[in-house]
Amino acid sequence: MEKRITKKELSAIVNDAYEHCRKIKEGNNASYIPYLAKENSDLFAISLCFVDGDTINVGDYNYIFGMESISKVATALLILKEYGCETILNMIGADATGLPFNSIMAILLENNHPSTPLVNAGAIAAVSMVSPVGNKEQKWKAIYENINALCGGHTELIDELYHSEALSNFNNRSIAWLLKNYNRVYDDPELSLDLYTKQCSLGVTNEQLSTFAATIANGGVNPRNGTRIFESRLSAKIISMMASVGFYEHSGNWLFSSGIPAKSGVSGGVMGVLPGLFGISAFAPPIDNAGNSVRAQAAIKYIMEKSGLNIFDGCSVRIDD
Ligand code: GLU
């Protein structure tokens, strides 16, 4: 079966979603990172970027916020590119943990691998694998340039967020050293933890996140500037990781109710991918008890439902101008 929808119809749905969801007041800003706790809770944006580079933006889409866990997707791609899928499966894994993003229990349960690059343990392991091992400046350069390429523009470290997070990340420090105990961190644990914290503190706009998502939807070519960032076969690999663990212990519920693989971050961003069609992102700081933005989830679910699109329905979709 073929479904057809126009960009104009999608644009109207995105604007409706914005009006409908801006009234939602549930959720609270992440409180365990002081910088995020004091962010304006009313901020709200939705962006969609088609695989031909056209965009739809509404709300605070130019506001700069910390990438947090969405950065995990970028660095997972970087090491998939560098090492290949088999090695990543062996050294980190691609399993859903079914547990919170910062779970220590998950490491104890699966001590032969850190589960997936999209939870904190696997993300710290992923950062540790970025070349050149032992060289902090060059590793950061590789991580930072990869994120800029995926987002199609300049991103900037939010110093205050980085320091706020570095002073309060005791749980992540425990994770880094527990990984060391199991030989599952592949560079110095403190260096890896610091670079992980730094990538989480990179400032992006919601519009940039939709470009990032659209680059994945577009088989690795950034649709805003035509640059190939990664091999097309890696799109399916990273989308499968997002689908299985993108919302931590709520990943199944999310996929069941939204029909789009996506990844969230505790600062309030959510980035979703419909392969071959578009990337979508939404941002609003208040999060639920699993660390996922309440308003951003509601907005993307609204758009998926009203547009009738769903990655699992087997329909081919044509988006007309
Ligand atoms: N920097 C955050 C942490 O490590 C990221 C968590 C998230 O966004 O889910 O706790």
Side-chain angles (χ1 to χ4, degrees):
M1 201 175 80
E2 189 187 65
K3 278 185 185 167
R4 292 176 75 157
I5 188 161
T6 65
K7 288 182 181 168
K8 213 169 151 198
E9 284 165 336
L10 266 167
S11 176
I13 293 171
V14 169
N15 281 284
D16 282 354
Y18 180 80
E19 289 308 324
H20 183 79
C21 298
R22 67 192 301 186
K23 301 177 196 114
I24 298 173
K25 295 288 172 215
E26 279 86 35
N28 293 300
N29 287 20
S31 56
Y32 75 104
I33 300 173
Y35 177 92
L36 299 182
K38 63 182 175 86
E39 200 136 48
N40 177 357
S41 306
D42 292 329
L43 290 161
F44 185 32
I46 311 174
S47 301
L48 192 149
C49 178
F50 295 100
V51 292
D52 65 5
D54 281 353
T55 57
I56 301 168
N57 286 294
V58 56
D60 304 303
Y61 60 88
N62 277 326
Y63 177 82
I64 295 172
F65 58 96
M67 274 188 113
E68 296 300 343
S69 277
I70 298 174
S71 65
K72 292 168 178 162
V73 179
T75 302
L77 277 165
L78 187 60
I79 57 164
L80 279 166
K81 245 163 80 166
E82 189 180 341
Y83 293 86
C85 297
E86 266 320 295
T87 305
I88 297 309
L89 203 54
N90 291 332
M91 292 177 79
I92 299 182
D95 265 342
T97 59
L99 290 165
F101 61 91
N102 56 0
S103 175
I104 285 181
M105 183 68 79
I107 308 171
L108 299 173
L109 290 172
E110 297 205 55
N111 59 42
N112 58 346
H113 65 80
S115 301
T116 162
L118 301 194
V119 299
N120 289 17
I124 294 169
V127 164
S128 78
M129 289 176 75
V130 173
S131 289
V133 169
N135 186 330
K136 199 169 178 178
E137 281 69 36
Q138 289 301 313
K139 278 174 83 111
W140 175 244
K141 190 167 181 283
I143 292 169
Y144 176 65
E145 285 178 355
N146 178 53
I147 291 177
N148 282 345
L150 289 162
C151 290
H154 181 71
T155 62
E156 207 158 308
L157 189 69
I158 305 176
D159 273 316
E160 200 188 333
L161 173 58
Y162 171 51
H163 291 300
S164 180
E165 212 160 319
L167 289 173
S168 55
N169 63 354
F170 309 113
N171 191 84
N172 285 343
R173 175 157 287 124
S174 315
I175 289 176
W177 282 101
L178 197 54
L179 289 175
K180 175 76 177 163
N181 184 52
Y182 293 123
N183 295 320
R184 291 291 164 185
V185 64
Y186 307 104
D187 201 337
D188 178 73
E190 290 293 333
L191 176 155
S192 308
L193 173 68
D194 185 41
L195 292 183
Y196 163 76
T197 308
K198 216 166 166 178
Q199 73 173 23
C200 287
S201 309
L202 265 184
V204 289
T205 66
N206 194 59
E207 184 175 28
Q208 285 178 321
L209 279 189
S210 71
T211 305
F212 179 177
T215 303
I216 299 173
N218 196 33
V221 175
N222 182 322
R224 303 293 297 278
N225 57 23
T227 311
R228 176 165 290 285
I229 318 296
F230 57 86
E231 271 179 78
S232 59
R233 66 187 182 86
L234 292 184
S235 275
K237 299 297 178 193
I238 198 70
I239 294 169
S240 77
M241 284 178 170
M242 290 167 72
S244 56
V245 76
F247 283 73
Y248 307 117
E249 67 270 41
H250 290 177
S251 299
N253 283 358
W254 165 261
L255 213 49
F256 181 82
S257 52
S258 69
I260 182 169
K263 179 74 198 86
S264 74
V266 285
S267 52
V270 172
M271 171 183 98
V273 178
L274 264 195
L277 299 177
F278 58 73
I280 187 165
S281 57
F283 164 68
I287 54 175
D288 63 18
N289 58 4
N292 306 315
S293 168
V294 177
R295 235 178 288 142
Q297 289 183 83
I300 296 179
K301 276 188 204 169
Y302 182 99
I303 293 163
M304 294 304 292
E305 197 191 317
K306 298 285 177 197
S307 65
L309 301 175
N310 189 315
I311 193 174
F312 296 113
D313 68 5
C315 294
S316 66
V317 179
R318 206 173 111 181
I319 299 183
D320 296 312
D321 280 333

